Amino acid sequence: MRWGGLVLCGGLSSRMGSDKAGLQFGSEPLLLRMLRLMAEGLGTVPLAVAAAAGQVLPELPSEVLLTLDEIPGLGPLEGLRSGIAGLSGCCEAVVVTSCDVPLLVPGILPLLQEVLGDWDVVVVGEPDGRLHPLCSAWRITALPIICQQRDRRELRLQSLLKVLRTRILVSANLQGVDPQLDSLRNINDPQAFAGALRRAGL
């Protein structure tokens, strides 16, 4: 199967107070860190960034595809749509993450690839029922349903998962490579960002 990787970064970052994509995490902007971690986990595959139109981003490597929201204000569903559409010409499936999980362990990405099988999407789920749609792998063939949900303004990714053939990868299955499940720790405010820096030893 031909794989790609997608990083979503078009969120409003309202609780953070500034755009997460450009935040400096050690020696590199957060978005570039996420692209590097994706490449470490996936190897040489096409990578894309899904951003909001007009969003100011760090300079991306020349080989990274930049896709932009067609319609503003639709949240991660629109980023998912634009990114998967952009990669559809060269990939059959895409591993998806967001730009705000700086402690992502690259070793979990092959696990997502391994369990996708014939499903439309595989997402990580926790014992309490919480799902992580942005720690996931999606078949390109899910794109028409993603577009339908957008057109109906059914914007919650949880709603999308209900109409797709969704497989849940229990978070405990990640602990062999990510014992503390750091890959599921997204940063939404300055306190969480500072905590992530400390955990990374920066």
Side-chain angles (χ1 to χ4, degrees), residues 12-13 23 53 64 78 80 126 171-172 175 192 194:
L12 296 176
S13 302
L23 290 176
V64 173
E78 174 62 2
L80 185 66
E126 301 200 48
S171 58
Q175 289 182 301

Side-chain angles (χ1 to χ4, degrees), residues 123-127 130 132 168-176 178 181 184:
V123 301
V124 174
E126 301 200 48
R130 283 181 297 163
H132 295 270
I168 297 173
L169 176 63
V170 178
S171 58
N173 290 329
L174 306 181
Q175 289 182 301
D178 184 3
L181 296 177
L184 305 180

Side-chain angles (χ1 to χ4, degrees), residues 20-40:
K20 296 177 189 177
L23 290 176
Q24 200 71 14
F25 198 89
S27 62
E28 58 194 340
L30 193 50
L31 177 57
L32 298 188
R33 176 182 176 87
M34 296 311 304
L35 288 169
R36 176 174 61 78
L37 295 175
M38 289 284 276
E40 288 180 15

